[in-house]
Amino acid sequence: MTTSRPAGDPRAPQSEHLVLDGVLTAEQAARTVAGILAVQREDGAVPWFRGHHLDPWDHVEAAMALDTAGEHEAAERAYLWLARHQLDDGSWYAAYADGDPDDVTDRGRETNFVAYVAVGVWHHYLATGDDTFLDRMWPAVCAAVEFVLELQQPGGQIGWRRDDDGTPATDALLTGSSSVHHALRCALAIAEQREEPQPDWELAVGALRHAIRRHPERFLDKDRYSMDWYYPVLGGALTGAEARERIDEGWERFVVPGLGVRCVVPNPWVTGGESAELALALWATGESDRALEVLQSIQHLRDPESGLYWTGYVFDDDAIWPRELTTWTAGSLLLAVAALGGHEPTCAVFGGEQLPKGMDPDCCPDA
């Protein structure tokens, strides 16, 4: 395994795929990676920034970004933090103050947060080939998937949360379900690698994909949010011409040329995380040129000193808001750059062609 360098070490990571014209030089990439490492706690937890909370989804995204830079030991510590603190029902709480497992600030358990461990574990395995790691994390992945599938509704969509008292939410979010779709496919890839077939998961991911593609009425209406626009593409439920058509339909609504992607319309607020995720979705559809333009457009959010990125920018007021340099914003950018740079594990996880599809239901056949 690659040994992690101390936080703040300015040396460039051995990762040419993190160098991208107009986005990152080798030195800038190294500083961004060091910025994430500086936030990571000794026990492996990666909060948004020190003093803020950790949520399991963004924790995994930061770990994946570390793997793109060859910081495999640090990434593994992040995943082992999840394994150590997984709840008996297979979930994690939605928020932990500064990554402290004993200081829970949101005791709900959100399905897309829980499922995302499978994406990170598969990405780490592809980056390291570490079978021992995969064996160690397999029980955590299985338990997480089973927790999530308990909230799958008859129409295939995934209830978005279970409250602390055990009450399940039956309402489904398109963004969250799309992320779960991606996670279930990664979980199936892990199962295939271990030669442990999971037919129930195959049926579940097929039913979920069908709901995303053909039944928008099964999800809460969050059409104003850009994530609901691109996440069916990023999560792999929409591909090919179907994906490109969806991206084109929402482009003028959400993309602010030269500044990035709106988080929600009509607010004059562009955000780095959504912009980088859109770039990753564009790359997955074969639109690398547009992906590069989007990534170049958000460099005004970069903090040169830390190498991290501000969460967002209110362009009507010419104001950075909120004043937060978040690990997940930096992580999403590194993942998008890694995909454009041809990093094989990142391409395999987000390209989708190598992930199992599951079994499509016999319902509403395509025209």
Side-chain angles (χ1 to χ4, degrees):
M1 271 192 189
T2 302
T3 301
S4 297
R5 290 181 294 279
D9 188 334
R11 288 174 295 168
Q14 300 301 309
S15 41
E16 294 180 358
H17 49 266
L18 293 182
V19 177
L20 189 61
D21 186 40
V23 181
L24 288 177
T25 65
E27 182 180 357
Q28 288 172 330
R31 191 164 295 280
T32 298
V33 173
I36 296 174
L37 288 170
V39 175
Q40 186 178 32
R41 289 162 46 114
E42 187 175 347
D43 64 1
V46 188
W48 286 21
F49 52 89
R50 293 312 300 267
H52 200 56
H53 74 256
L54 172 153
D55 73 73
W57 198 102
D58 290 308
H59 169 85
V60 168
E61 184 169 52
M64 294 173 69
L66 292 174
D67 268 326
T68 68
E71 296 287 353
H72 303 312
E73 182 182 334
E76 181 174 339
R77 287 193 293 114
Y79 294 119
L80 295 181
W81 186 94
L82 290 172
R84 288 194 305 273
H85 302 299
Q86 190 171 31
L87 301 173
D88 290 342
D89 64 1
S91 70
W92 293 272
Y93 291 123
Y96 301 82
D98 198 37
D100 182 349
D102 297 320
D103 191 357
V104 178
T105 56
D106 184 344
R107 303 185 74 87
R109 287 148 297 157
E110 299 188 17
T111 46
N112 68 307
F113 284 11
V114 173
Y116 210 60
V117 65
V119 181
V121 166
W122 185 234
H123 184 260
H124 183 77
Y125 176 73
L126 293 176
T128 63
D130 188 344
D131 290 305
T132 300
F133 168 81
L134 203 65
D135 291 343
R136 185 167 183 181
M137 292 301 299
W138 173 242
V141 170
C142 286
V145 169
E146 293 303 321
F147 170 85
V148 169
L149 293 187
E150 286 180 0
L151 276 80
Q152 186 165 35
Q153 304 303 302
Q157 70 275 26
I158 305 292
W160 77 279
R161 174 182 169 108
R162 188 182 289 278
D163 291 334
D164 187 37
D165 64 3
T167 303
T170 56
D171 290 333
L173 300 171
L174 181 58
T175 294
S177 284
S178 297
S179 178
V180 170
H181 174 265
H182 186 203
L184 291 176
R185 294 181 68 194
C186 290
L188 283 171
I190 298 170
E192 284 190 3
Q193 177 65 28
R194 293 179 52 81
E195 299 183 352
E196 297 192 32
Q198 303 292 329
D200 289 347
W201 298 4
E202 293 186 32
L203 292 170
V205 74
L208 176 56
R209 180 169 55 254
H210 180 76
I212 293 168
R213 293 181 63 221
R214 294 289 175 258
H215 293 283
E217 75 280 359
R218 295 178 183 171
F219 300 92
L220 294 175
D221 183 4
K222 301 288 184 180
D223 183 62
R224 296 174 56 228
Y225 291 85
S226 60
M227 286 192 295
D228 262 28
W229 163 49
Y230 64 75
Y231 244 93
V233 178
L234 182 59
L238 300 184
T239 58
E242 196 173 27
R244 290 189 292 272
E245 181 180 349
R246 185 176 183 89
I247 293 297
D248 288 343
E249 284 177 352
W251 189 265
E252 291 188 3
R253 228 180 137 213
F254 290 108
V255 177
V256 183
L259 292 178
V261 176
R262 294 178 193 260
C263 177
V264 56
V265 294
N267 298 6
W269 182 42
V270 294
T271 47
E274 278 82 353
S275 299
E277 287 181 340
L278 173 63
L280 195 50
L282 287 166
W283 167 83
T285 66
E287 299 246 22
S288 293
D289 289 344
R290 278 211 286 185
L292 175 59
E293 290 176 5
V294 170
L295 291 177
Q296 290 172 336
S297 75
I298 59 171
Q299 294 315 301
H300 63 99
L301 295 175
R302 181 179 177 85
D303 174 53
E305 183 176 351
S306 69
L308 299 176
Y309 289 75
W310 298 106
T311 298
Y313 172 71
V314 182
F315 49 87
D316 276 2
D317 298 333
D318 188 24
I320 294 292
W321 185 84
R323 302 289 297 184
E324 299 174 348
L325 293 166
T326 43
T327 52
W328 51 267
T329 300
S332 64
L333 180 120
L334 289 174
L335 286 169
V337 170
L340 267 69
H343 184 239
E344 290 185 8
T346 304
C347 292
V349 165
F350 288 99
E353 293 88 353
Q354 301 176 38
L355 295 177
K357 289 190 64 176
M359 299 180 64
D360 288 316
D362 184 15
C363 172
C364 309
D366 292 337

